[in-house]
């Protein structure tokens, strides 16, 4: 009888080793061990009960062996129920940021219509903000709502006056980086007016003709169709430039003197596209602002509306900003 018990215990030990190996390899311990452990428990109890009935004088020794066998089987069951939870497997792919596009003065969200399809083809969600151009605070509020809509990180892109807007709105923690496209990049306490006065009035940088004869009605500024064709979008077909003139957004005079309080470029990576043929903002001034904010700078031989005349190149710069860690 003792030899049979010894053999049984050896078998049980071997089963334990096999089952633990299965646990390590497949992680399916709950499905494999529990049924086998239960079966071994029942079989062992039945076997030893038969022994007890046959030889009552050796009951104490049998009970000890029964207890050992039961403990072995119970340990298997406990192992199966206390398996550590599996950690979720990471895909290793970070979610792409949303690209929020902010238009400038004398424009609207459609000024990004040639850039948006390129970004979308690369799998980027894009939002073209329709900022009202009524004040810096109003425009910033519109941009902040767009940032809130984005599911994750944001690349904030601003054209012209839109550069002022993203400089103020870009402090949101979701904003990953800033892209200035032929834009203003003011420092703390600066405005479009103060930047222009310093550049052209004090330092005598040659002025540009685009803002020479604006039309002001009820406090809102617009450009003549002739100005749009010759100075705002001189590298676009005339037919397309006329469409821009017809749909231009009116720009409130208060925006010109609105000061930035907390420039986001001081804490965020920045990129700057200088339009070398710009006649609305001096290209020299654009170069100086890009240097001041320590931006990664690109030069494109284009008009002020470079995103319409050279959309593929502008999109490429935005994509570089989006793909940089």
């Amino acid at each position: 009888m003792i030899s049979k018990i010894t053999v049984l215990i050896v078998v049980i030990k071997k089963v334990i080793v096999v089952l633990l190996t299965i646990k390590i390899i497949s992680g399916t311990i709950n499905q494999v061990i529990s049924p086998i452990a239960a079966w071994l428990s029942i079989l062992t109890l039945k076997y030893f009960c038969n022994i007890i009935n046959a030889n009552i004088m050796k009951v104490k020794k049998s009970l000890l062996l029964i207890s050992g066998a039961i403990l072995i089987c119970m340990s298997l069951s406990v192992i199966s129920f206390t398996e550590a939870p599996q950690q979720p497997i990471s895909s290793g792919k970070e979610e792409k940021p949303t690209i929020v596009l902010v238009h400038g003065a004398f424009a609207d969200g459609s000024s990004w219509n040639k850039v948006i399809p390129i970004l979308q083809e690369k799998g980027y969600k894009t939002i073209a903000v329709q900022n009202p151009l009524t004040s810096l605070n109003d425009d910033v509020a519109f941009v902040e709502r767009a940032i809130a809509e984005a599911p994750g990180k944001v690349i904030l892109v601003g054209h012209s006056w839109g550069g002022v807007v993203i400089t103020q709105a870009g402090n949101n923690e979701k904003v990953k980086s800033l892209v200035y496209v032929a834009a203003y990049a003011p420092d703390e306490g600066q405005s479009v007016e103060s930047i222009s006065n310093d550049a052209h009035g004090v330092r005598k940088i040659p002025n540009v003709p685009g803002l020479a004869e604006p039309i002001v009605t009820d406090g809102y500024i617009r450009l003549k169709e002739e100005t749009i064709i010759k100075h705002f979008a001189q590298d676009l077909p005339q037919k397309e430039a006329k469409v821009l003139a017809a749909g231009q957004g009116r720009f409130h005079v208060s925006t010109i003197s609105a000061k930035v309080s907390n420039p986001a470029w001081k804490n965020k990576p920045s990129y700057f596209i200088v339009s070398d043929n710009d006649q609305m903002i001096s290209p020299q001034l654009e170069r100086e602002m890009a240097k001041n904010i320590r931006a990664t700078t690109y030069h494109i031989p284009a008009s002020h509306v470079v995103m319409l005349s050279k959309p593929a190149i502008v999109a490429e710069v935005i994509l570089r900003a989006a793909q940089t860690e």
Side-chain angles (χ1 to χ4, degrees):
M1 181 185 69
I2 299 301
S3 60
K4 291 183 180 180
I5 294 172
T6 302
V7 169
L8 180 60
I9 292 174
V10 170
V11 170
I12 291 173
K13 286 182 179 179
K14 289 183 178 181
V15 170
I16 292 172
V17 173
V18 171
L19 293 177
L20 289 177
T21 302
I22 293 173
K23 170 182 174 61
I24 294 171
I25 295 174
S26 67
T28 56
I29 191 69
N30 283 330
Q31 298 177 1
V32 176
I33 291 182
S34 294
I36 295 177
W39 175 78
L40 285 173
S41 298
I42 294 171
L43 184 63
T44 303
L45 288 172
K46 183 177 180 181
Y47 179 82
F48 281 112
C49 285
N50 289 336
I51 292 175
I52 292 170
N53 290 332
N55 196 347
I56 194 67
M57 295 300 295
K58 298 179 180 180
V59 67
K60 291 184 179 181
K61 184 182 291 186
S62 298
L63 285 174
L64 288 173
L65 292 172
I66 290 171
S67 298
I70 292 174
L71 285 173
I72 292 171
C73 294
M74 286 179 65
S75 66
L76 290 174
S77 299
V78 169
I79 291 172
S80 68
F81 284 108
T82 59
E83 182 183 12
Q86 298 294 318
Q87 295 296 323
I89 299 174
S90 173
S91 64
K93 294 182 179 179
E94 185 179 351
E95 185 179 4
K96 291 183 176 181
T98 298
I99 299 171
V100 176
L101 306 163
V102 184
H103 66 79
F106 320 119
D108 64 10
S110 66
S111 59
W112 299 104
N113 280 0
K114 294 182 181 180
V115 173
I116 291 172
I118 301 172
L119 301 176
Q120 290 178 334
E121 285 175 5
K122 297 295 184 179
Y124 288 89
K125 176 180 173 61
T126 60
I127 301 174
V129 181
Q130 296 288 357
N131 39 310
L133 305 176
T134 49
S135 71
L136 176 58
N137 288 339
D138 290 346
D139 284 8
V140 167
F142 271 61
V143 173
E144 287 176 341
R145 281 195 286 273
I147 293 172
E149 291 176 12
K153 292 295 184 180
V154 167
I155 305 299
L156 206 51
V157 185
H159 171 246
S160 189
W161 157 255
V164 180
V165 180
I166 69 170
T167 299
Q168 186 75 7
N171 290 292
N172 189 297
E173 63 180 8
K174 293 174 69 176
V175 176
K176 177 181 178 182
S177 59
L178 309 170
V179 181
Y180 293 84
V181 181
Y184 289 99
D187 205 336
E188 184 177 353
Q190 285 187 323
S191 64
V192 171
E193 183 178 53
S194 66
I195 292 173
S196 299
N197 288 342
D198 175 69
H200 306 302
V202 178
R203 297 189 289 120
K204 304 303 180 181
I205 293 175
N207 212 332
V208 287
L211 293 172
E213 297 179 346
I215 301 171
V216 182
T217 305
D218 296 329
Y220 287 88
I221 311 169
R222 63 185 176 90
L223 301 178
K224 296 177 181 179
E225 182 183 271
E226 181 182 4
T227 301
I228 296 284
I229 295 170
K230 290 184 177 181
H231 305 301
F232 188 79
Q234 71 271 21
D235 55 356
L236 292 182
Q238 186 176 105
K239 184 177 181 180
E240 188 175 349
K242 284 186 174 182
V243 172
L244 291 180
Q248 65 178 295
R250 273 54 173 173
F251 189 53
H252 197 270
V253 294
S254 66
T255 55
I256 297 175
S257 59
K259 296 179 180 180
V260 168
S261 60
N262 186 17
W265 52 258
K266 291 188 175 182
N267 303 304
K268 304 291 173 77
S270 298
Y271 300 77
F272 204 114
I273 293 175
V274 175
S275 290
D276 290 328
N277 301 328
D278 201 329
Q279 296 185 26
M280 300 300 297
I281 303 175
S282 166
Q284 181 178 339
L285 182 55
E286 290 180 24
R287 289 193 296 270
E288 290 179 356
M289 289 186 288
K291 182 179 180 180
N292 182 57
I293 69 173
R294 302 179 299 280
T296 301
T297 305
Y298 302 86
H299 288 263
I300 302 176
S303 70
H304 188 58
V305 289
V306 58
M307 66 284 187
L308 289 172
S309 61
K310 307 286 185 182
I313 302 176
V314 171
E316 178 60 30
V317 173
I318 296 171
L319 289 171
R320 288 182 185 181
Q323 294 164 0
T324 301
E325 294 298 331

